[in-house]
Amino acid sequence: MVVDERMRSYYDARAPEYDDWWHGTGRFAARDRPGWEPDVHALLAAVAGLPPAHQLDVACGTAFLTRHLLGRVVAIDQSPAMVAVAAARLPHAEVVQGEAVPLPFGDDAFDRVITGHFYGHLLEAERAAFLAEARRVAPELVVIDSARGPDGEGEAWQERVLGDGSRHTVYKRWFTPGALLEELGGGQVLHAGPWFVMARSPRA
Ligand SMILES: C[S@@+](CC[C@H](N)C(=O)[O-])C[C@H]1O[C@@H](n2cnc3c(N)ncnc32)[C@H](O)[C@@H]1O
């Protein structure tokens, strides 16, 4: 597919240090992120509060969010390094290395697709293809992504530096709850905090 190659190689390289972003450790220790920790906890509570289901986490990364899902969980990510971390964390789930588009699953194979901090990395030309795949494999889609503050930018090409000094260019967006719901075609906001937004959208 479709998904920008730079994003893919960046996340594979970032896997060993990815959770520093969640925990505020390593390169993120010096960042001033007011309200980050309570918002992470509220987001995790919202994820854990989803009704148990047969669900697929697309672009699961290190499974920081995935491990809070209830029910029969399958997780997929394109990065071998992310999949290794996720598989160690999810002994009772199936963790697959593979692509988001096309998803290697049949029509209606799941009750729900969930995806965190992936949709907002997709370029405009990539979004419809991903949404069509998510809608094909499950009747419900839950999207978690970065919240857009009142003065925050909506999108950016960012230069990111990893611990080994390597530099990477990544496209990223931030969402208001309303804008995210509109893109998904309607649904319900499950979490709207200063850092994260989470929306559930049924298939039309
Ligand atoms: C920002 S991380 C999100 C990880 C996790 N969902 C979270 O919220 O912490 C984005 C993830 O998307 C994965 N990814 C990028 N392109 C992909 C693709 N085409 N198919 C599947 N996964 C992909 C990356 O490997 C990376 O793990």
Side-chain angles (χ1 to χ4, degrees):
M1 127 130 165
V2 281
V3 172
D4 193 86
E5 178 54 37
R6 288 168 287 189
M7 206 261 275
R8 298 151 58 96
S9 54
Y10 165 67
Y11 278 111
D12 195 51
R14 188 177 161 191
E17 58 191 274
Y18 181 75
D19 283 355
D20 284 339
W21 177 68
W22 284 114
H23 294 303
T25 51
R27 301 177 66 77
F28 292 86
R31 291 220 189 164
D32 183 26
R33 299 191 294 187
W36 176 269
E37 213 177 302
D39 206 28
V40 170
H41 285 123
L43 176 66
L44 291 178
V47 170
L50 288 168
H54 183 202
Q55 46 194 323
L56 173 68
D57 186 355
V58 176
C60 63
T62 59
F64 184 86
L65 296 174
T66 326
R67 59 194 165 155
H68 296 277
L69 294 170
L70 300 177
R72 193 174 146 207
V73 176
V74 178
I76 186 167
D77 199 286
Q78 60 87 29
S79 155
M82 289 288 195
V83 164
V85 178
R89 263 196 180 147
L90 300 171
H92 303 298
E94 186 186 344
V95 184
V96 179
Q97 188 204 336
E99 285 298 316
V101 180
L103 285 166
F105 304 103
D107 297 358
D108 280 320
F110 300 93
D111 303 320
R112 175 187 302 131
V113 164
I114 181 165
T115 188
H117 303 101
F118 172 66
Y119 183 70
H121 281 306
L122 298 179
L123 298 169
E124 191 169 359
E126 301 167 343
R127 290 169 208 154
F130 168 67
L131 289 178
E133 275 300 275
R135 297 306 195 184
R136 180 182 66 75
V137 304
E140 181 178 271
L141 172 62
V142 172
V143 175
I144 295 164
D145 225 302
S146 297
R148 182 177 183 177
D151 304 320
E153 56 192 345
E155 63 176 348
W157 283 96
Q158 300 181 311
E159 188 182 56
R160 298 190 180 184
V161 184
L162 292 179
D164 63 3
S166 60
R167 292 179 179 274
H168 305 259
T169 304
V170 175
Y171 174 74
K172 180 170 173 70
R173 291 199 295 158
W174 293 262
F175 299 89
T176 63
L180 179 59
L181 265 194
E182 198 180 321
E183 283 193 34
L184 300 180
Q188 185 187 6
V189 175
L190 299 178
H191 174 78
W195 294 97
F196 307 107
V197 56
M198 173 174 171
R200 168 166 50 197
S201 175
R203 186 160 59 201

